[in-house]
Amino acid sequence: MGPSGKRGFGGGSSLFGREGSDEISVDLNLTPLMDVMSNILFFLLAAFGAAVVSYIAVSVPVQSDGPGAEPKLDAVTVNLRVLPGEYRLSASNEKVEAAKLDAHRKALPKVDGAYDDGALSEALYRIKLDFPATDTLVIVPSETTVYEEIIRIMDAARERTVDGKKLRLMPKVVVADLVKAETAP
C-alpha cells in the first residue's frame, strides 16, 4: 500500500492516469510499424524496376531455321559492334558472295560526341533493300555501353519512315557478347 492508503502509485494515480480522470495518456511505439512499411516499400520498388526491364523485347540467337535448312539468299545476319568511338556494322551469309556483303561493312563514327543513330538507320535500310528477308540485328556492346544506348539502337533498327510509310527494318534484336580468348602466360 502506498502512503495514501490506496494500492498503486502514490497520489491516487494508476498505471493509465489518475483515478477518476477521463483523460488517458497512452504512448505508442511506431518504430516497428515504420520498419515494416519501409521494407514493404523497398520490395515494391525493386519489383517494379524488374518488371520494367522484363518488358524489353529481345530474342535468343539461333543457329539456323531448322535441321538441314539452307541459308537464304535474301537474308543476312546483321552484326553491330558498339565501340567507344563508333558503330561497326557488318553482314554475313555463307551463300552470298563476299563482295556484296562487303558493300554493307561500315564504320559509323560518333558525331559531336554522340552515336549517329540516323546513319545507322540509313545503313540498315540499305541492307534491307538488298536483302528483304533480313529481320534480325545482333548487337554486340562494349564494356562501356550504357543501357540507354542499346535502347536507342533498338529504336533506330525497328522501323524507318520512307515516303510517308513506315517500313519495318530489323524488329528482332539479339543482344550478344564476344567470347574473349584466353592468352597463354
Side-chain angles (χ1 to χ4, degrees), residues 96-108:
V96 176
E97 60 189 56
K100 195 169 181 182
L101 295 174
D102 286 342
H104 295 291
R105 185 178 304 271
K106 296 193 181 315
L108 305 169

Side-chain angles (χ1 to χ4, degrees), residues 12-26:
S13 65
S14 68
L15 185 59
F16 296 108
R18 290 182 295 165
E19 289 184 20
S21 171
D22 289 338
E23 296 180 20
I24 297 176
S25 154
V26 177

Side-chain angles (χ1 to χ4, degrees), residues 25-76:
S25 154
V26 177
D27 293 327
L28 292 177
N29 185 3
L30 296 178
T31 304
L33 178 64
M34 296 303 291
D35 288 343
V36 169
M37 295 304 284
S38 63
N39 284 330
I40 290 172
L41 181 63
F42 169 75
F43 285 112
L44 284 174
L45 289 174
F48 178 73
V52 169
V53 171
S54 70
Y55 290 118
I56 296 174
V58 295
S59 55
V60 177
V62 292
Q63 186 67 25
S64 67
D65 292 333
E70 289 291 318
K72 298 177 185 176
L73 293 177
D74 63 344
V76 293

Side-chain angles (χ1 to χ4, degrees), residues 68-139:
E70 289 291 318
K72 298 177 185 176
L73 293 177
D74 63 344
V76 293
T77 301
V78 181
N79 298 305
L80 177 69
R81 290 198 55 200
V82 183
L83 300 173
E86 65 185 1
Y87 289 145
R88 285 200 189 151
L89 190 64
S90 64
S92 61
N93 184 334
E94 294 175 1
K95 300 293 182 181
V96 176
E97 60 189 56
K100 195 169 181 182
L101 295 174
D102 286 342
H104 295 291
R105 185 178 304 271
K106 296 193 181 315
L108 305 169
K110 284 185 172 181
V111 177
D112 296 327
Y115 289 107
D116 192 357
D117 294 329
L120 173 64
S121 182
E122 177 65 25
L124 292 174
Y125 174 67
R126 296 291 171 209
I127 292 173
K128 188 72 171 183
L129 288 177
D130 286 350
F131 305 99
T134 302
D135 64 353
T136 304
L137 173 68
V138 179
I139 301 173

